[in-house]
Amino acid sequence: MIYYEKDYYAVPDIGAEKAYELLRQALLSQKKVAIAKTVMGTNEKLLVLYPTREGIIVKTLFYYDEIAAMPKTVPKMKLDENELNMAKMLIENMTKPFVAEEYQDEYQARLREAIMKKIQGQDIVAVDTAASSNVIDLMEALKKSLELSEKKDQRSQKRLTGTA
């Protein structure tokens, strides 16, 4: 089930710092979260107070009756062991630490650019978004992705070691 909706930082009011810290440390030491309710706008919200080393994160939750069931059952397919191993190797080769700064909302950036062009009187060219209906051989796609990933990794290693 999907319950989490949004995250916020909890910050204590002046004079409530000790109670805040007491709650944070007690929850953290017991590896527990707290459940609470509040009103946001005109809606009552269910919350989780999630302690971290730095503070408390408040996660709003959906109520049980707000969660829609998965619209269709996804069939469990019989997988070929070679395909699964190749997919695992691909994931392993592509795994790297998450750096939030590397990700931006590209749609919003393109939208702002289009708006600026329109303001400046330039023509806006629509992009053809028609999806191709090519059938892809999964095994071939995995092999190519793995080869590209390995080549990229080898180039990175050469740069790190200074070899040509």
Side-chain angles (χ1 to χ4, degrees), residues 50-110:
Y50 183 83
T52 68
R53 280 189 240 146
E54 294 78 31
I56 297 176
I57 297 180
V58 178
K59 298 175 176 280
T60 60
L61 300 174
F62 290 109
Y63 285 100
Y64 178 79
D65 61 348
E66 295 176 316
I67 300 171
M70 188 173 251
K72 116 181 197 184
T73 303
V74 179
K76 303 294 184 229
M77 305 297 295
K78 174 84 172 113
L79 299 174
D80 176 15
E81 193 67 29
N82 290 331
E83 289 174 333
L84 186 57
N85 288 336
M86 231 185 296
K88 288 177 184 178
M89 285 192 324
L90 178 62
I91 291 169
E92 187 60 36
N93 286 345
M94 296 177 76
T95 299
K96 65 179 185 174
F98 174 72
V99 180
E101 295 83 15
E102 292 179 1
Y103 299 89
Q104 291 87 31
D105 185 340
E106 295 173 25
Y107 173 79
Q108 288 297 319
R110 287 192 311 272

Side-chain angles (χ1 to χ4, degrees), residues 33-154:
V33 298
I35 303 294
K37 281 187 179 182
T38 192
V39 175
M40 292 182 167
T42 59
N43 298 322
E44 187 174 67
K45 291 286 186 179
L46 188 60
L47 309 172
V48 169
L49 305 179
Y50 183 83
T52 68
R53 280 189 240 146
E54 294 78 31
I56 297 176
I57 297 180
V58 178
K59 298 175 176 280
T60 60
L61 300 174
F62 290 109
Y63 285 100
Y64 178 79
D65 61 348
E66 295 176 316
I67 300 171
M70 188 173 251
K72 116 181 197 184
T73 303
V74 179
K76 303 294 184 229
M77 305 297 295
K78 174 84 172 113
L79 299 174
D80 176 15
E81 193 67 29
N82 290 331
E83 289 174 333
L84 186 57
N85 288 336
M86 231 185 296
K88 288 177 184 178
M89 285 192 324
L90 178 62
I91 291 169
E92 187 60 36
N93 286 345
M94 296 177 76
T95 299
K96 65 179 185 174
F98 174 72
V99 180
E101 295 83 15
E102 292 179 1
Y103 299 89
Q104 291 87 31
D105 185 340
E106 295 173 25
Y107 173 79
Q108 288 297 319
R110 287 192 311 272
L111 182 60
R112 280 190 295 277
E113 184 181 325
I115 291 170
M116 290 308 295
K117 283 183 177 180
K118 189 70 172 174
I119 289 171
Q120 295 167 357
Q122 299 177 19
D123 289 334
I124 298 173
V125 180
V127 177
D128 182 17
T129 58
S132 63
S133 61
N134 295 344
V135 176
I136 298 172
D137 179 343
L138 182 59
M139 197 64 166
E140 276 304 308
L142 282 171
K143 285 179 184 175
K144 286 180 184 177
S145 293
L146 193 55
E147 288 170 11
L148 287 173
S149 177
E150 286 173 349
K151 286 179 186 177
K152 182 179 173 186
D153 191 44
Q154 288 170 355

